[in-house]
Amino acid sequence: NSEVTNRHSTYTPPSQATNICVWVTPVSKTNNWTGKSVSKITYLSNTEPAKPSAPSIEYSDNDNKKYSLKISLTGINDVRADKIEFEVRTSSGKKFTSGVSTVSVGKAVFNCKVNPATEYSARCRAINVVTGKKIYGDWSDYSSSIMTMPAVVTNVKCEADSKTSVKITWKAVSTATKYTVEYTNKKEYFGSSTSNVSSVTVTNNTAYITGREGGHESYFRVKATNSAGDSDWSGIVRAVVGTKPQPPTTWSLTTTIGVGEDAVLYWTHNSEDGSKQKEAQIYISINGAAEIVTVTSSVSEDDNEPVYSYPIDSSKYSAGGEILWMVKTKGVADEYSDCSPQRTVK
């Protein structure tokens, strides 16, 4: 409040002020009569909020807390800080996500989903909202970093390694420092009967489980661990250790060839224990002349079910002949399957 005889006045507002309302009342020079007051609200141009301290970053307490983070800023006492913008970055410095939260009781919180096996940090800045206009303050320093749990283990495979042991493999998980493999005789024991579930811990993506009973089912699952904790369990896989294979599945690309062309015989090894073929015996009869051919794995292993093959050169045989063939295989149990059905190539 001041009285002046000219038409201007100066005033220094307090530092936390965002706007000023000014009333001006005219007073006559001769008899001190006062006129009608007029007012004006002035929004200050220098209203940037203060630079906040670094936010805190922790695992979220929601249902998916393994892969969710909570970033928060507390003790906010700047009246110009109407909102807080949070920015989350990976350890490579790349921006991952951001979000804006309203300040309530001196606090602002931002929750976000994140990727497994990734390191994150966060920073924030205050926003002053003046008549719909957002005025941003300076960014804070970065928070300490936090690592998320590993991704779920995938591509788990098992196969018999001997009559009483199983080999388990899986795709390696980024940032995992170790893996836990659980195994049991019944699938329903997982998560409910710890006394019937055994486990081993390894540091690479292969484990050998010994002492399994031949001809019986075993079930396996895997989880990964890093400094942040454990991943969820993988899917469950099954193996029957050391069993006699089923008869192979057989075929040829054609049932008729010309003299001089190769007749290629194909089959798959049908093992219940998941083991690969170690050996095969092919029973071949050409124009009544029979022979037994023993082969090791002539295989194209470009998928999970290898295809085995054996070529027959027909150049030494005359037209009108007939090739009869069937095959049996054996795996880690060292016991041959029964023979496949007999097939014919003319």
Side-chain angles (χ1 to χ4, degrees):
N1 174 338
S2 64
E3 293 184 359
V4 296
T5 58
N6 51 31
R7 288 183 294 180
H8 69 268
S9 180
T10 58
Y11 172 69
T12 302
S15 60
Q16 72 271 25
T18 60
N19 56 72
I20 300 172
C21 185
V22 179
W23 288 264
V24 178
T25 305
V27 181
S28 70
K29 294 181 179 180
T30 55
N31 52 17
N32 267 352
W33 286 351
T34 59
K36 181 179 179 180
S37 295
V38 294
S39 63
K40 173 74 174 180
I41 295 178
T42 298
Y43 292 93
L44 304 179
S45 59
N46 184 23
T47 57
E48 294 87 355
K51 175 183 175 180
S53 58
S56 63
I57 185 169
E58 59 187 334
Y59 299 112
S60 175
D61 54 2
N62 64 19
D63 292 339
N64 193 25
K65 62 183 178 180
K66 286 182 181 292
Y67 309 116
S68 294
L69 295 179
K70 180 173 74 172
I71 301 96
S72 58
L73 183 66
T74 59
I76 304 170
N77 54 19
D78 185 353
V79 297
R80 294 167 295 180
D82 299 308
K83 297 178 182 292
I84 300 294
E85 181 181 16
F86 295 94
E87 184 180 82
V88 181
R89 290 183 176 264
T90 63
S91 57
S92 64
K94 182 179 179 180
K95 179 181 175 181
F96 177 76
T97 189
S98 62
V100 176
S101 299
T102 300
V103 175
S104 177
V105 198
K107 181 179 181 179
V109 178
F110 174 62
N111 290 281
C112 64
K113 299 285 183 66
V114 289
N115 294 326
T118 308
E119 190 173 2
Y120 296 94
S121 60
R123 64 177 181 171
C124 64
R125 62 180 176 178
I127 305 173
N128 186 12
V129 182
V130 181
T131 62
K133 179 182 178 182
K134 295 180 179 179
I135 303 173
Y136 294 87
D138 292 332
W139 284 106
S140 71
D141 296 330
Y142 279 98
S143 68
S144 57
S145 60
I146 191 171
M147 174 69 73
T148 53
M149 287 76 165
V152 175
V153 176
T154 59
N155 203 28
V156 181
K157 300 177 183 178
C158 61
E159 61 180 77
D161 188 56
S162 72
K163 288 186 177 182
T164 58
S165 65
V166 179
K167 178 183 178 182
I168 314 296
T169 60
W170 56 89
K171 185 178 180 181
V173 176
S174 172
T175 77
T177 55
K178 64 179 181 179
Y179 303 90
T180 302
V181 181
E182 281 193 346
Y183 56 97
T184 183
N185 293 331
K186 292 185 178 181
K187 185 177 181 180
E188 57 267 25
Y189 285 157
F190 284 133
S192 62
S193 178
T194 56
S195 61
N196 291 300
V197 177
S198 302
S199 65
V200 296
T201 300
V202 295
T203 55
N204 56 25
N205 59 328
T206 303
Y208 293 87
I209 310 300
T210 60
R212 310 312 293 161
E213 189 174 354
H216 287 74
E217 291 181 323
S218 292
Y219 295 89
F220 306 89
R221 64 179 185 175
V222 186
K223 69 178 178 181
T225 301
N226 66 8
S227 59
D230 300 330
S231 72
D232 292 330
W233 286 104
S234 71
I236 297 171
V237 294
R238 165 188 172 274
V240 180
V241 184
T243 55
K244 176 182 175 179
Q246 295 296 312
T249 302
T250 57
W251 71 95
S252 59
L253 296 182
T254 180
T255 58
T256 304
I257 61 171
V259 173
E261 297 176 352
D262 280 350
V264 183
L265 316 179
Y266 297 95
W267 68 92
T268 58
H269 173 63
N270 296 329
S271 62
E272 192 177 15
D273 59 23
S275 64
K276 300 294 190 297
Q277 173 187 295
K278 290 176 61 178
E279 191 174 275
Q281 285 188 341
I282 311 170
Y283 294 81
I284 305 173
S285 175
I286 304 177
N287 298 335
E291 64 174 322
I292 299 175
V293 179
T294 300
V295 297
T296 54
S297 300
S298 172
V299 60
S300 173
E301 291 196 60
D302 55 358
D303 54 25
N304 294 333
E305 297 182 359
V307 173
Y308 302 85
S309 62
Y310 182 76
I312 297 176
D313 181 6
S314 68
S315 60
K316 57 184 178 180
Y317 302 108
S318 59
E322 190 175 60
I323 301 171
L324 304 177
W325 69 282
M326 57 186 178
V327 63
K328 64 181 181 180
T329 61
K330 68 177 178 180
V332 73
D334 209 30
E335 181 180 4
Y336 273 110
S337 68
D338 294 333
C339 279
S340 67
Q342 190 177 70
R343 294 193 178 275
T344 303
V345 178
K346 296 182 182 296

